[in-house]
Amino acid sequence: MVEKDFELIEHTADVGIRVKAKDLVGLFSKSGLALFQISAEKLPAKDKEKHKIIVALKANNIEELFINWLNELLSLSAVECLIFEGFEISKVDENCIEVVAIGVDIKNYKVNTEIKAATYHELKVEKTGSGWVAEVIFDV
Amino acid sequence: MSSIQLEKIDDFRWRIPKSYKPGMRVPGIIYADEKLLKDIYQDKALEQVANVAFLPGIVNASLAMPDIHWGYGFPIGGVAATDIEEGGVVSPGGVGFDINCGVRLLRTNLQFEDIKDKIKDLVYTLFSDVPAGVGSKGDIRVGNKEEKEILVKGSKWAVAKGYGTQDDLECTEENGAITGADPDAVSDRAYERGKAQSGTLGSGNHFLEVQVIDQLYDAKICDEFGLNLGQVMVMIHSGSRGLGYQVCEDSLRTMVNCLHKYNINVPDRQLACAPVNSPEAQNYLNAMRCAANYAWANRQCLMHLTRLAFEKVFCMGWEKLGMSLIYDVAHNIAKIETYNINGKEKKLCVHRKGATRAFPPGHPALPDRYKRTGQPVIIPGDMGRNSYLLVGTEKAVETFYSTCHGAGRVKSRTAATKSINLNTLLKELESKGIIVKASGRGTIVEEAPQAYKDVNDVVNVVHNAGISKRVCRMRPVGVIKG
């Protein structure tokens, strides 16, 4: 069992997560991975090929960037039929992110839950004394 | 847990006064009885009813149906109408990501006696022939040009392809295609997400159920609809799949950024909106209508596959099996409708998020066959209890002709997963004569009856409040989940 890098937040209809990290690289990376850890479980590898996709996003503020990031991953996952397993983040600040997202074919996973989108409802992306914390509700 | 003090209007209506929060333009009205209120108080849905009351141009009240529960932005079970001439807005969060998630109900000529020894065979055939589950792809594949055609023609496209009849169109809200859909308003990414998903059920709370009528409430209307005790029915619940999610996401991005431009203040960014007459709102409505039409085409295709599966199991044509559509209704949509407000005809933008349109007898938008009875209203329950057929009433004008859309969740998915044992649940369902097949075993637990309010209580409220009227009740015998 892989230890999860996030906590679940109770929500009646949907699913929420809380993620803590020492910097923005960790926050965006852990949150991106959480999406797929919630929805899919890995099967014994059928195919080891890794697919790399460049993601570059801009936004007016950190919260908008965070939501756009998660929704971009969901959208790419659906279109490219990939599950993302890792991220090489070359640049991230409060207004932009540049990443190489590393995914494998969805057939390597059993997908149990469909996450439709990340929402702004009760969204929190904050700098704390020890790093960053984010809370987000997903529509499932 | 909510601390809002509700004012009792009557046994089935409760008010959040406008004074509850500075910024509320109208009060909140919740349709519920004391039993359901206990559940409603457990989460933040009431706060969301109050938040919706901030929307510019909102008319009369921010409304919530008895299946209300905590969503994002709007509560699920929320209804809000805004006056377009008075700067009324449209909010993508008031429709949701799964645009035109909805449900359709088919009748058959079969009685329970005819299928009781074949239920397993029927459920397994449906499971094998109707694509379900996350990432499932349909056999109904279309090219780019044809996909645009689906977005404009909706169910009409499916019928033209041979996946249904003119009668099906007459029995679908908006005849299966809302006007004003503009494929150019839909992003390339949304097209990409929708391309392989025509004729697929999806996952989560989407389902296909074989049901049996176990209670008649209005014998006259049942006669008109051709329904009787013990009759086998089929209910299909699905939406606009990835295409709809992307349309919502694209427009939310725009609207979050134009709040300032239109000087709009909402307490939750998921309520981001724009005046209906603004270019941002028009673009959203044009794209939302495309997604709605995609969903109607999708449910039409799903029904076609269902009819073929029945043909396979019963070795008889679907027409001979009497598999005609009772009705198809949207649950998540924004519509421009005309109402008389304080003596004036007004064009309103009616948001129904987890709510069903319920037009009364005589409404001009209804086909002749339902002019006398009112619009059929289909209320799915959970996989272990009942579902209902109701009709719209004139009294529902107080809810902009809206009623509930289902049972409504009461337990989170994580709480359900922690507290419910899959094998025990499956045995319980089997002991009630309910066969379940699902792509994900986790989905069965998340969608367990214990995770939902009792739909009987929910329907009791809308019936007694007079905003729709019970016709008959069904019980499930076979369930396909994504």
Side-chain angles (χ1 to χ4, degrees):
Chain A
M1 183 95 176
V2 182
E3 201 179 324
K4 305 249 185 307
D5 245 350
F6 59 89
E7 300 163 53
L8 286 172
I9 302 171
E10 284 290 315
H11 187 286
T12 315
D14 300 309
V15 171
I17 59 163
R18 182 179 300 110
V19 182
K20 292 175 184 167
K22 65 177 186 342
D23 54 24
L24 281 179
V25 169
L27 193 78
F28 276 72
S29 179
K30 285 179 180 183
S31 303
L33 290 174
L35 281 178
F36 301 100
Q37 287 173 356
I38 288 170
S39 59
E41 60 187 279
K42 196 164 189 176
L43 299 168
K46 287 183 181 168
D47 135 33
K48 293 200 166 70
E49 192 185 351
K50 305 276 185 196
H51 301 262
K52 294 190 170 188
I53 295 186
I54 296 168
V55 180
L57 301 170
K58 287 183 180 166
N60 293 317
N61 54 58
I62 187 71
E63 292 186 332
E64 193 182 313
L65 186 71
F66 189 71
I67 290 295
N68 290 353
W69 160 244
L70 296 174
N71 282 331
E72 181 70 8
L73 291 179
L74 288 172
S75 182
L76 280 173
S77 165
V79 170
E80 304 291 339
C81 298
L82 295 176
I83 295 287
F84 292 106
E85 292 186 335
F87 306 103
E88 292 163 1
I89 300 181
S90 55
K91 181 182 174 188
V92 59
D93 58 30
E94 301 204 4
N95 300 100
C96 84
I97 185 166
E98 289 172 15
V99 189
V100 175
I102 300 157
V104 297
D105 194 294
I106 204 162
K107 69 185 177 208
N108 292 290
Y109 279 79
K110 170 151 181 38
V111 185
N112 298 312
T113 309
E114 183 172 39
I115 298 178
K116 293 172 186 157
T119 78
Y120 278 99
H121 179 59
E122 302 207 331
L123 173 68
K124 200 192 269 183
V125 185
E126 285 174 357
K127 201 166 187 346
T128 64
S130 54
W132 285 84
V133 63
E135 290 180 7
V136 60
I137 308 282
F138 300 126
D139 179 0
V140 295
Chain B
M1 180 71 95
S2 175
S3 59
I4 294 180
Q5 293 293 309
L6 294 175
E7 296 171 355
K8 183 171 180 174
I9 301 170
D10 60 29
D11 287 347
F12 305 105
R13 290 170 183 79
W14 305 77
R15 182 188 298 112
I16 303 174
K18 200 173 135 182
S19 57
Y20 168 67
K21 232 180 192 183
M24 285 175 68
R25 295 166 191 262
V26 291
I29 305 278
I30 293 101
Y31 288 77
D33 60 12
E34 298 212 7
K35 184 183 175 195
L36 287 169
L37 268 187
K38 283 183 192 149
D39 288 332
I40 293 169
Y41 264 116
Q42 294 306 308
D43 61 26
K44 300 179 185 175
L46 291 176
E47 199 63 38
Q48 293 187 316
V49 176
N51 290 346
V52 170
F54 280 64
L55 291 180
I58 187 166
V59 177
N60 292 351
S62 162
L63 299 159
M65 300 297 118
D67 48 343
I68 175 183
H69 57 279
W70 186 17
Y72 45 86
F74 270 57
I76 295 160
V79 176
T82 62
D83 185 337
I84 298 172
E85 282 173 28
E86 299 297 322
V89 292
V90 63
S91 170
V95 174
F97 284 94
D98 197 355
I99 294 165
N100 191 4
C101 171
V103 64
R104 63 173 49 195
L105 180 68
L106 289 93
R107 65 179 295 287
T108 74
N109 285 341
L110 298 162
Q111 288 287 302
F112 179 60
E113 289 299 309
D114 301 323
I115 68 159
K116 68 177 187 191
D117 299 326
K118 288 187 172 175
I119 291 172
K120 226 172 201 168
D121 188 16
L122 182 59
V123 168
Y124 280 59
T125 306
L126 285 165
F127 187 71
S128 130
D129 293 1
V130 181
V134 186
S136 56
K137 290 180 179 172
D139 289 336
I140 299 167
R141 294 298 179 90
V142 292
N144 285 352
K145 195 176 157 214
E146 201 162 15
E147 199 182 3
K148 286 193 176 185
E149 216 179 297
I150 295 177
L151 303 194
V152 174
K153 294 184 178 169
S155 297
K156 289 173 187 168
W157 169 84
V159 168
K161 290 294 248 185
Y163 305 144
T165 66
Q166 285 299 320
D167 255 15
D168 297 339
L169 299 180
E170 208 174 287
C171 294
T172 304
E173 185 172 328
E174 299 292 341
N175 296 317
I178 191 167
T179 53
D182 177 6
D184 290 339
V186 174
S187 69
D188 291 344
R189 181 65 68 81
Y191 278 111
E192 283 296 313
R193 278 180 89 165
K195 205 178 265 177
Q197 294 185 339
S198 273
T200 64
L201 194 61
S203 67
N205 63 352
H206 294 155
F207 65 78
L208 192 158
E209 262 186 31
V210 181
Q211 305 172 342
V212 174
I213 296 179
D214 71 346
Q215 179 90 51
L216 305 181
Y217 296 98
D218 190 318
K220 204 174 156 210
I221 296 183
C222 283
D223 270 356
E224 291 221 24
F225 289 179
L227 305 176
N228 55 61
L229 266 184
Q231 189 169 352
V232 175
M233 309 288 281
V234 184
M235 195 175 271
I236 300 169
H237 181 218
S238 188
S240 50
R241 315 283 285 109
L243 183 128
Y245 315 159
Q246 191 67 42
V247 165
C248 182
E249 190 199 319
D250 292 341
S251 54
L252 256 172
R253 247 183 235 209
T254 307
M255 292 211 183
V256 163
N257 285 314
C258 75
L259 283 170
H260 185 68
K261 176 178 169 188
Y262 295 111
N263 200 20
I264 294 171
N265 181 27
V266 282
D268 179 348
R269 270 169 298 176
Q270 202 65 33
L271 290 172
C273 52
V276 172
N277 286 329
S278 69
E280 293 86 352
Q282 287 299 312
N283 197 60
Y284 167 66
L285 285 168
N286 293 343
M288 183 213 70
R289 290 167 183 144
C290 288
N293 292 344
Y294 180 96
W296 274 311
N298 192 33
R299 286 198 289 278
Q300 183 67 38
C301 293
L302 290 167
M303 181 172 77
H304 170 70
L305 296 172
T306 302
R307 284 168 166 166
L308 296 185
F310 268 71
E311 286 188 346
K312 206 189 263 186
V313 173
F314 296 99
C315 302
M316 204 186 288
W318 67 262
E319 293 93 339
K320 273 216 155 156
L321 288 165
M323 297 184 76
S324 56
L325 180 62
I326 297 288
Y327 210 61
D328 176 305
V329 286
H331 287 163
N332 289 359
I333 202 158
K335 303 281 257 319
I336 310 299
E337 295 171 3
T338 305
Y339 290 86
N340 187 307
I341 306 293
N342 302 324
K344 279 188 184 165
E345 291 286 300
K346 293 272 193 180
K347 270 200 168 21
L348 306 182
C349 178
V350 183
H351 300 72
R352 297 189 181 94
K353 185 182 184 185
T356 309
R357 191 190 75 175
F359 278 162
H363 195 285
L366 294 180
D368 286 345
R369 70 181 76 190
Y370 297 134
K371 279 263 173 29
R372 274 199 309 272
T373 58
Q375 178 211 301
V377 168
I378 305 151
I379 309 298
D382 59 68
M383 66 173 108
R385 285 179 283 202
N386 298 116
S387 292
Y388 279 84
L389 178 64
L390 298 90
V391 283
T393 62
E394 190 47 61
K395 182 136 189 37
V397 71
E398 70 188 47
T399 55
F400 307 102
Y401 295 129
S402 310
T403 190
C404 63
H405 87 307
R409 281 196 87 93
V410 72
K411 195 177 262 198
S412 74
R413 292 164 203 272
T414 41
T417 306
K418 275 182 205 157
S419 62
I420 298 164
N421 177 282
L422 175 66
N423 291 331
T424 312
L425 172 63
L426 287 174
K427 272 186 197 151
E428 269 172 28
L429 292 170
E430 203 163 340
S431 73
K432 289 186 186 175
I434 305 165
I435 306 294
V436 181
K437 276 290 280 176
S439 306
R441 290 165 70 84
T443 314
I444 304 178
V445 172
E446 287 179 6
E447 295 298 314
Q450 298 92 311
Y452 283 87
K453 298 176 197 178
D454 187 337
V455 72
N456 297 293
D457 296 335
V458 170
V459 167
N460 194 40
V461 168
V462 295
H463 176 82
N464 285 313
I467 56 172
S468 44
K469 189 170 74 169
R470 282 188 293 238
V471 173
C472 68
R473 190 179 74 180
M474 282 78 71
R475 65 180 173 86
V477 293
V479 183
I480 312 296
K481 301 288 291 184

